[in-house]
Amino acid sequence: MAGEANRALRLVLFGAPGVGKGTQASEIQGRTGIAHISTGDMLRTAVQQGTPAGMTAQRFIDRGDLVPDEVVGDLIAERLEGDDVRKGFLLDGFPRTVPQADRLDAILESRGQALDCVINIEVREREIVARLTGRRTCPSCGATFHVRFQPPRTAGVCDSCGGALEQRSDDTEEAIARRLRAYRAQTAPLLNRYRAAGLLATVDGGGEPDEVYARIAAAVPGLQG
Ligand code: AP5
């Protein structure tokens, strides 16, 4: 069973923009030590570094559109070669389309591996917009805050490293609306696929982050509360 000693845990964190995937991923990674693989973070790093993938991705991200499948799929295929992934992984923000899910299946199948669980976090859209418009992130260490729900001790300053907090370029109301449309049209249809495969665990993402984690731990074999 998943979670036994030496058993790698392979998880997907699924859900619309702003439901708290990154927040819960940090918690899960802190408790299990499995690799947290966020395609959003990888793409933002590629943009900062000016790599070919980053140069392609930037205009899609800023508008709130999905980056082409091939660009994201290549990043994931390379990342899943990493040594740290042998202990398991937590995919955050991937897959987001049918071709991406097909590519993930092919990568895992070629290694004789399979997913253990797809954790689907649900939050009402009005709450999502409030979460995203108030989000502030630290460009130095990646920590995430919210001006009202998770405020830093000093406004605008990261609690962890003292860096100046920023608002993400895609956290404007216009880009959020496009991201939500992309989620409904291209990503949400994957829910049926994972439900049919018996992999889907849906949890309510409302309430405090600790409460959400407790629901996830209760729903996912191998995670502890
Ligand atoms: P990505 O970075 O993956 O963004 P996203 O999926 O839109 O999700 P977010 O990071 O916005 O939100 P989250 O669910 O992680 O919430 P968080 O924990 O931060 O992708 C960005 C872009 O990259 C995409 O639009 C696309 O262009 C591209 N991309 C990425 N992956 C791709 C792929 N596979 N294919 C194609 N393109 C791809 O929380 C949000 C806020 O709420 C924070 O301020 C937090 O403090 C607060 N909060 C969290 N939990 C709670 C709570 N329980 N109560 C109150 N506040 C809370």
Side-chain angles (χ1 to χ4, degrees):
M1 173 185 155
E4 287 170 5
N6 302 323
R7 169 75 163 84
L9 205 49
R10 299 186 187 93
L11 306 173
V12 169
L13 262 179
F14 196 95
V19 295
K21 299 183 295 298
T23 301
Q24 295 303 321
S26 298
E27 191 66 31
I28 295 170
Q29 195 210 12
R31 289 171 185 253
T32 61
I34 61 176
H36 171 204
I37 301 176
S38 157
T39 41
D41 288 347
M42 291 167 76
L43 288 165
R44 283 184 288 276
T45 300
V47 169
Q48 271 173 5
Q49 293 175 343
T51 66
M55 289 194 309
T56 304
Q58 181 154 30
R59 66 178 190 280
F60 291 94
I61 295 175
D62 287 348
R63 269 202 314 254
D65 292 336
L66 292 184
V67 173
D69 290 329
E70 199 180 321
V71 173
V72 185
D74 288 351
L75 285 177
I76 281 289
E78 190 184 337
R79 181 65 185 84
L80 288 177
E81 296 289 331
D83 280 347
D84 58 332
V85 168
R86 268 182 283 163
K87 286 184 290 183
F89 59 74
L90 175 61
L91 292 175
D92 164 3
F94 184 92
R96 265 171 145 113
T97 64
V98 170
Q100 291 181 19
D102 290 344
R103 184 139 184 205
L104 178 61
D105 283 352
I107 293 171
L108 294 177
E109 202 178 309
S110 71
R111 300 167 177 203
Q113 297 174 347
L115 292 174
D116 293 295
C117 189
V118 175
I119 305 162
N120 173 40
I121 305 178
E122 288 188 339
V123 172
R124 282 201 306 247
E125 283 200 6
R126 193 191 302 173
E127 167 81 8
I128 285 176
V129 174
R131 287 186 184 188
L132 291 179
T133 50
R135 173 165 58 187
R136 299 292 181 272
T137 56
C138 176
S140 306
C141 73
T144 297
F145 300 88
H146 190 282
V147 292
R148 277 194 293 138
F149 306 140
Q150 292 181 300
R153 284 191 294 272
T154 305
V157 179
C158 177
D159 288 352
S160 308
C161 75
L165 300 181
E166 290 180 351
Q167 186 163 24
R168 259 171 50 177
S169 61
D170 60 347
D171 278 347
T172 61
E173 291 204 18
E174 193 185 345
I176 292 166
R178 286 183 77 92
R179 287 159 64 197
L180 287 169
R181 276 203 294 279
Y183 173 77
R184 284 186 227 110
Q186 293 169 268
T187 309
L190 290 176
L191 288 168
N192 279 340
R193 173 185 183 130
Y194 290 123
R195 189 177 294 112
L199 289 172
L200 197 68
T202 294
V203 298
D204 173 3
E208 294 294 318
D210 286 353
E211 296 174 282
V212 180
Y213 178 77
R215 288 181 208 126
I216 291 174
V220 179
L223 286 184
Q224 273 145 28

